[in-house]
């Protein structure tokens, strides 16, 4: 969502992508917030967008979808009972964050928060505050049943830790640590928060891609982009486990892995005519090149479909796209003004 994370590529069969799997919460073009500047405006939600009428799309079976207006951004989301995922939060860059109630369809703006992501079991809300406290950044953990809120300090200023990535078991959160250099934020390492214990451990990683965003593997390690490829890191100390330098970068900003973990969505290598590729994590090889060119991917709809943002005329459409390249469901029309304001969305498995 908001701003997250050596061995030669393909050196041996042992360097398979079996280590890789994870949710990534990086928003398109999103930069790490200036915690001091944002503190003054955190309580004011964005009002820049006026809702625009959206046609009621249907899926390929002709079933009508129920309209769910999203406050503050001029977008209407179309949902159906039985959908495999549930829209749980969205926002405009680091300026406004909206979170859905645990039950029902109500979205509420969260003041003083630059990003938010719901745990896989729906019980905990992880949030990054817009301001430091006593010179420390933090992760806020909210109990969605009782409303209790815990603040877990992470890194000290001038570092910042953001881009919430939940482990699939919901026990840990990974954050990408960044440092501002030459006017730009650059990835410097990661922080792992133990949710039950309320503790954080930060690891600095040498040779990290400046735009890296960390996400989890099924074994409890981390991956991040590395040039035009991927690199896996040990969560305990940041040691490099594998490198696949030319395979393609994890497609995002949401979880690039299918629900089973057996498929990995990638932005195709530069040499490819296609933009969206699918790799087999067990072999580390591309198994599918999809004939679509999305502006962003917000994770997987199910094992055979992804949630893609597709350019359409002067606007964009949030669409369910199959690995055969066919659109099977229109979820929302996104005005260009909202998209260029760095709209992000996060989903949870239903």
């Amino acid at each position: 969502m908001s701003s997250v994370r050596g061995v030669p590529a393909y050196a041996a069969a042992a360097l398979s992508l079996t280590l890789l799997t994870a949710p990534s919460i990086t928003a398109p073009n999103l930069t790490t917030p200036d915690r001091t500047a944002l503190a003054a405006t955190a309580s004011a939600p964005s009002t820049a967008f006026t809702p625009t009428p959206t046609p009621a799309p249907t899926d390929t079976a002709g079933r009508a979808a129920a309209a769910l207006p999203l406050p503050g951004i001029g977008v209407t989301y179309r949902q159906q009972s039985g959908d495999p995922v549930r829209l749980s939060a969205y926002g405009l860059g680091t300026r406004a964050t909206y979170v859905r109630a645990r039950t029902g369809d109500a979205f509420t703006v969260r003041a003083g928060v630059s990003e938010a992501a719901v745990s896989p079991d729906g019980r905990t809300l992880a949030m990054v505050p817009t301001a430091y406290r006593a010179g420390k950044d933090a992760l806020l953990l909210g109990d969605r049943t009782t409303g209790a809120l815990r603040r877990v300090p992470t890194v000290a200023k001038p570092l910042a830790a953001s881009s919430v990535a939940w482990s699939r078991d919901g026990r840990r959160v990974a954050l990408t640590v960044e440092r501002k250099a030459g006017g730009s934020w650059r990835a410097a390492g990661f922080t792992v928060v133990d949710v039950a214990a309320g503790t954080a451990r930060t690891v600095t990683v040498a040779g990290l891609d400046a735009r890296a965003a960390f996400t989890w593997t099924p074994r409890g390690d981390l991956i991040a982009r590395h040039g035009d490829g991927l690199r896996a890191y040990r969560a305990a100390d940041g040691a490099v486990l594998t490198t696949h330098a030319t395979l393609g970068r994890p497609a995002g900003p949401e979880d690039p892995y299918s629900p089973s973990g057996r498929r990995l969505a990638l932005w195709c290598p530069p040499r490819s005519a296609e933009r969206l590729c699918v790799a087999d994590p067990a072999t580390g090889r591309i198994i599918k090149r999809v004939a679509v060119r999305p502006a962003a991917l917000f994770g997987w709809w199910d094992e055979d479909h992804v949630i893609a943002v597709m350019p359409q005329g002067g606007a964009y459409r949030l669409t369910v796209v199959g690995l055969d390249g066919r659109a099977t469901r229109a979820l929302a029309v996104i005005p260009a003004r909202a998209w260029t304001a760095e709209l992000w969305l996060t989903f949870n498995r239903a």
Side-chain angles (χ1 to χ4, degrees), residues 184-303:
S184 300
W185 289 94
R186 300 174 60 89
F190 60 83
T191 295
V192 173
V193 175
D194 183 310
V195 174
T199 57
R201 184 185 73 257
T202 296
V203 177
T204 300
V205 179
L208 193 59
D209 188 301
R211 293 171 291 176
F214 287 94
T215 55
W216 291 98
T217 76
R219 288 176 46 172
D221 297 309
L222 296 164
I223 62 165
R225 66 173 288 175
H226 182 72
D228 291 326
L230 306 169
R231 179 167 276 181
Y233 302 88
R234 189 162 57 207
D237 56 11
V240 174
L241 300 174
T242 62
T243 300
H244 295 269
T246 60
L247 183 66
R249 295 178 285 107
E254 281 299 296
D255 189 348
Y257 284 81
S258 67
S260 71
R262 292 193 293 267
R263 290 172 172 171
L264 171 61
L266 303 167
W267 298 130
C268 296
R271 65 182 181 276
S272 176
E274 295 84 7
R275 176 161 169 78
L276 177 60
C277 287
V278 178
D280 178 356
T283 64
R285 296 185 180 278
I286 293 174
I287 57 174
K288 186 75 174 178
R289 298 177 187 270
V290 186
V292 293
R293 298 188 65 81
L297 218 64
F298 284 98
W300 290 75
W301 182 258
D302 57 26
E303 194 67 19

Side-chain angles (χ1 to χ4, degrees), residues 4-24:
V4 154
R5 340 215 200 309
V7 185
Y10 305 106
L15 300 186
S16 75
L17 290 178
T18 304
L19 292 172
L20 313 180
T21 200
S24 170

Side-chain angles (χ1 to χ4, degrees), residues 14-329:
L15 300 186
S16 75
L17 290 178
T18 304
L19 292 172
L20 313 180
T21 200
S24 170
I25 340 184
T26 312
N29 305 316
L30 191 59
T31 56
T32 300
D34 182 325
R35 302 307 166 89
T36 303
L38 281 173
T41 59
S43 61
S46 171
T47 57
F49 304 106
T50 300
T52 55
T54 302
T58 60
D59 64 11
T60 53
R63 295 173 297 189
L68 176 60
L70 305 184
I73 61 173
V75 172
T76 297
Y77 182 77
R78 303 285 175 173
Q79 63 183 4
Q80 292 178 358
S81 60
D83 282 350
V85 300
R86 184 175 190 264
L87 178 63
S88 55
Y90 65 90
L92 296 173
T94 59
R95 298 177 296 282
T97 297
Y98 297 81
V99 178
R100 191 173 186 170
R102 187 174 183 183
T103 59
D105 295 334
F107 282 89
T108 304
V109 67
R110 297 298 299 241
V113 170
S114 64
E115 63 170 293
V118 177
S119 62
D121 63 8
R123 297 177 180 176
T124 306
L125 180 64
M127 299 168 285
V128 175
T130 55
Y132 295 97
R133 179 183 290 180
K136 296 276 287 188
D137 208 347
L139 183 69
L140 307 178
L141 297 172
D143 186 312
R144 304 187 77 210
T145 300
T146 67
L149 186 67
R150 293 181 290 156
R151 186 182 186 97
V152 182
T154 54
V155 296
K157 193 176 181 179
L159 297 177
S162 58
S163 297
V164 175
W166 281 96
S167 61
R168 288 195 171 186
D169 63 8
R171 295 179 179 179
R172 292 182 289 176
V173 171
L175 302 166
T176 296
V177 174
E178 294 177 294
R179 176 186 291 109
K180 205 165 190 177
S184 300
W185 289 94
R186 300 174 60 89
F190 60 83
T191 295
V192 173
V193 175
D194 183 310
V195 174
T199 57
R201 184 185 73 257
T202 296
V203 177
T204 300
V205 179
L208 193 59
D209 188 301
R211 293 171 291 176
F214 287 94
T215 55
W216 291 98
T217 76
R219 288 176 46 172
D221 297 309
L222 296 164
I223 62 165
R225 66 173 288 175
H226 182 72
D228 291 326
L230 306 169
R231 179 167 276 181
Y233 302 88
R234 189 162 57 207
D237 56 11
V240 174
L241 300 174
T242 62
T243 300
H244 295 269
T246 60
L247 183 66
R249 295 178 285 107
E254 281 299 296
D255 189 348
Y257 284 81
S258 67
S260 71
R262 292 193 293 267
R263 290 172 172 171
L264 171 61
L266 303 167
W267 298 130
C268 296
R271 65 182 181 276
S272 176
E274 295 84 7
R275 176 161 169 78
L276 177 60
C277 287
V278 178
D280 178 356
T283 64
R285 296 185 180 278
I286 293 174
I287 57 174
K288 186 75 174 178
R289 298 177 187 270
V290 186
V292 293
R293 298 188 65 81
L297 218 64
F298 284 98
W300 290 75
W301 182 258
D302 57 26
E303 194 67 19
D304 300 305
H305 299 79
V306 295
I307 306 169
V309 176
M310 305 297 299
Q312 185 178 58
Y316 297 83
R317 189 177 288 269
L318 187 68
T319 307
V320 178
V321 177
L323 298 185
D324 58 2
R326 293 189 304 163
T328 63
R329 177 89 169 271

